[in-house]
């Protein structure tokens, strides 16, 4: 069968500031997903949160961008918003930027990642294993470096030297500055690796949209790459991207995919979406608290049965104690960066400052400048 995995997430309210959704919100979303499984709309579903963002993972046979699936999640997020409003939670409905999108919710605020594939559980995919990543308090290009390294650099993924992967991967990269629509370029690794890097170095403008196996044509990765401030025209919250990544066999193995996250690399985000801070790998359902509001990323894995059901339990990759060391380093890097406060590289450049208010402050002052009399 043709199976589709859809992952849709949004921030629709959180407890005591931008930390995590409430238990009642989570229960509400889980109940809706259980109904959707019961009614046959989806085969399976899983609700989680990373920081203050609720993510709904679904398996179904309706294909990518299907109106019924997207509308179901939109309505679920509206119901969770009602719960958030009732209890006076922070930022109720924050990421639902339009009143009622018709059909597909891409461009309406929620982050969307989807992969459709032929699901036969025979060669070249005798088992289907997938990873689901969700990041909070960071920009849409947060996955650029780690995903590039996993799919284009044998120093991180030695598996690229194997016959199944040696032809490399095709990167679809999106120019998020183009508001006319999805503006995409296709570039092939390894021969275009430097060109890919030339684009992906700019996390605020370019992001990986998807990656395909050049040997098998199959889609390996889908990333939600959109800028909320481009959609809304003003700061409404951070983009907080999600990703679906298929692994093993014809694709990199989990350890090859997650090892670049040991860098805790600096990304745009953090407080008011306007700082440059390290991305900390965290277990699923971790709230964002602590000093600053460090960008965080979760990564879980599922296997998928022949019927398209998720395995009875998931694996939480960043819950392993091996990541404690990375978390400590991320915190140390964050403290170091924040010790220079607002100065220079510690905050995003003027054009990328997510909080429009910062720009208003500077704009007001610009009007007061006068040429010095000679
Ligand atoms: P969220 O988009 O996760 O709500 O982040 C908002 C923010 O500005 C953090 O300070
Ligand atoms: Mg939030
Ligand atoms: Mg968030």
């Amino acid at each position: 069968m043709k199976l589709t995995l859809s992952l849709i997430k949004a921030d629709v309210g959180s407890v005591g500031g931008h930390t995590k959704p409430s238990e009642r919100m989570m229960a509400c979303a889980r109940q809706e997903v259980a109904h959707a499984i019961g009614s046959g709309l989806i085969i399976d579903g899983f609700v989680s949160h990373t920081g203050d963002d609720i993510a709904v993972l679904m398996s179904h046979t309706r294909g990518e961008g299907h109106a019924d699936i997207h509308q179901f999640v939109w309505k679920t997020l509206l119901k969770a918003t009602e719960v958030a409003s009732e209890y006076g939670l922070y930022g109720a409905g924050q990421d639902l930027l339009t009143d009622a999108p018709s059909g597909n919710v891409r461009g309406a605020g929620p982050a969307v990642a989807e992969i459709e594939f032929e699901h036969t559980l025979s060669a070249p995919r005798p088992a289907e294993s997938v990873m689901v990543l969700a990041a909070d308090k960071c920009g849409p290009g947060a996955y650029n470096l780690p995903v590039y390294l996993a799919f284009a650099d044998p120093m991180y993924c030695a598996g690229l030297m194997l016959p199944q992967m040696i032809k490399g991967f095709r990167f679809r990269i999106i120019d998020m500055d183009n508001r006319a629509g999805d503006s995409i370029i296709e570039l092939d690794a390894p021969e275009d690796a430097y060109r890919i890097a030339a684009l992906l170095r700019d996390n605020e403008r370019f992001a990986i949209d998807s990656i395909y196996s050049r040997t098998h044509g199959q889609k390996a990765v889908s990333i939600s790459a959109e800028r909320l401030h481009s959609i809304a025209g003003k700061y409404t919250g951070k983009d907080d991207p999600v990703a679906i990544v298929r692994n093993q066999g014809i694709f990199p193995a989990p350890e090859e995919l997650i090892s670049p996250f040991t860098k805790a690399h600096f990304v745009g985000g953090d407080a008011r979406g306007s700082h440059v801070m390290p991305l900390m790998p965290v277990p699923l359902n971790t709230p964002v608290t602590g000093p600053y509001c460090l960008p965080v990323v979760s990564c879980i894995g599922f296997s998928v049965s022949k019927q398209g059901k998720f395995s009875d339990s998931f694996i939480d990759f960043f819950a392993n104690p091996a990541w404690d060391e990375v978390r400590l380093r991320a915190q140390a890097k964050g403290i170091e960066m924040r010790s220079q406060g607002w100065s220079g590289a510690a905050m995003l450049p003027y054009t990328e400052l997510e909080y429009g208010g910062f720009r208003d402050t500077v704009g007001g002052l610009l009007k007061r400048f006068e040429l010095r009399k000679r």
Side-chain angles (χ1 to χ4, degrees):
M1 73 170 134
K2 277 219 165 198
L3 189 70
T4 304
L5 301 179
S6 297
L7 175 63
I8 304 183
K9 77 95 228 179
D11 177 350
V12 289
S14 45
V15 182
H18 47 225
T19 59
K20 66 165 196 175
S22 72
E23 295 301 327
R24 277 197 169 86
M25 290 169 69
M26 294 297 288
C28 163
R30 288 197 175 106
Q31 193 181 8
E32 293 305 310
V33 165
H35 286 158
I37 297 170
S39 73
L41 175 68
I42 59 176
I43 300 170
D44 210 349
F46 179 77
V47 181
S48 62
H49 76 87
T50 299
D52 58 9
D53 301 324
I54 296 181
V56 183
L57 173 70
M58 295 156 289
S59 63
H60 58 91
T61 53
R62 285 158 211 260
E64 294 179 16
H66 196 279
D68 294 352
I69 300 295
H70 283 232
Q71 285 298 312
F72 156 66
V73 178
W74 183 265
K75 282 180 191 135
T76 300
L77 293 168
L78 281 178
K79 287 191 174 149
T81 298
E82 275 170 32
V83 178
S85 301
E86 188 185 336
Y87 288 90
L89 301 191
Y90 177 78
Q94 176 186 286
D95 285 353
L96 308 183
L97 299 180
T98 58
D99 273 349
S102 54
N104 196 320
V105 302
R106 244 181 84 81
V112 181
E114 299 185 288
I115 302 185
E116 184 184 47
F117 52 92
E118 200 57 61
H119 185 57
T120 54
L121 294 194
S122 58
R125 294 292 286 165
E128 187 56 52
S129 49
V130 294
M131 292 156 98
V132 175
L133 292 102
D136 189 30
K137 313 298 179 219
C138 60
Y143 301 123
N144 280 4
L145 178 64
V147 173
Y148 168 87
L149 292 175
F151 282 87
D153 189 341
M155 289 292 284
Y156 291 84
C157 176
L160 293 171
M161 295 182 280
L162 296 171
Q164 297 267 43
M165 282 187 270
I166 200 142
K167 275 201 213 153
F169 288 90
R170 174 158 297 173
F171 284 66
R172 280 196 187 162
I173 296 171
I174 186 162
D175 177 356
M176 293 174 288
D177 269 4
N178 192 334
R179 297 180 196 185
D182 288 352
S183 175
I184 304 277
I185 185 174
E186 286 192 353
L187 291 168
D188 288 340
E191 57 270 39
D192 281 329
Y194 297 168
R195 291 185 178 87
I196 296 171
L199 294 175
L200 296 185
R201 56 160 289 283
D202 187 346
N203 284 336
E204 310 304 324
R205 175 165 182 184
F206 300 106
I208 299 168
D209 168 86
S210 46
I211 298 178
Y212 294 79
S213 160
R214 292 173 70 192
T215 306
H216 299 277
Q218 295 217 24
K219 189 169 176 180
V221 175
S222 173
I223 298 177
S224 65
E226 283 191 303
R227 289 208 300 192
L228 289 179
H229 80 210
S230 299
I231 298 170
K234 63 177 180 5
Y235 182 75
T236 57
K238 225 27 209 168
D239 309 277
D240 303 338
V242 292
I244 302 176
V245 183
R246 298 167 74 198
N247 66 26
Q248 304 274 190
I250 62 172
F251 304 126
E255 63 279 16
E256 292 164 333
L257 289 158
I258 56 180
S259 63
F261 286 94
T262 57
K263 291 183 183 304
H265 67 301
F266 287 104
V267 296
D270 198 74
R272 303 181 194 281
S274 300
H275 292 258
V276 176
M277 288 287 268
L279 183 62
M280 178 191 272
V282 294
L284 193 67
N285 301 330
T286 297
V288 169
T289 56
Y292 325 121
C293 62
L294 223 50
V296 295
V297 60
S298 65
C299 177
I300 59 165
F302 278 107
S303 288
V304 185
S305 77
K306 192 154 192 144
Q307 293 72 32
K309 285 260 174 208
F310 298 131
S311 41
D312 60 347
S313 53
F314 65 87
I315 186 73
D316 191 336
F317 286 102
F318 293 149
N320 186 287
W323 293 92
D324 290 346
E325 167 139 355
V326 178
R327 284 188 267 278
L328 286 177
R329 198 147 37 77
Q331 187 58 30
K333 285 175 75 167
I335 290 171
E336 200 55 51
M337 185 59 110
R338 275 307 193 89
S339 74
Q340 71 174 59
W342 40 261
S343 176
M347 282 187 86
L348 287 171
Y350 181 77
T351 49
E352 293 303 330
L353 281 175
E354 294 280 4
Y355 239 59
F358 286 130
R359 275 202 294 274
D360 295 342
T361 301
V362 175
L365 293 170
L366 284 176
K367 291 191 198 114
R368 292 169 50 192
F369 275 73
E370 286 177 26
L371 285 177
R372 182 157 45 200
K373 296 187 183 67
R374 292 178 180 242

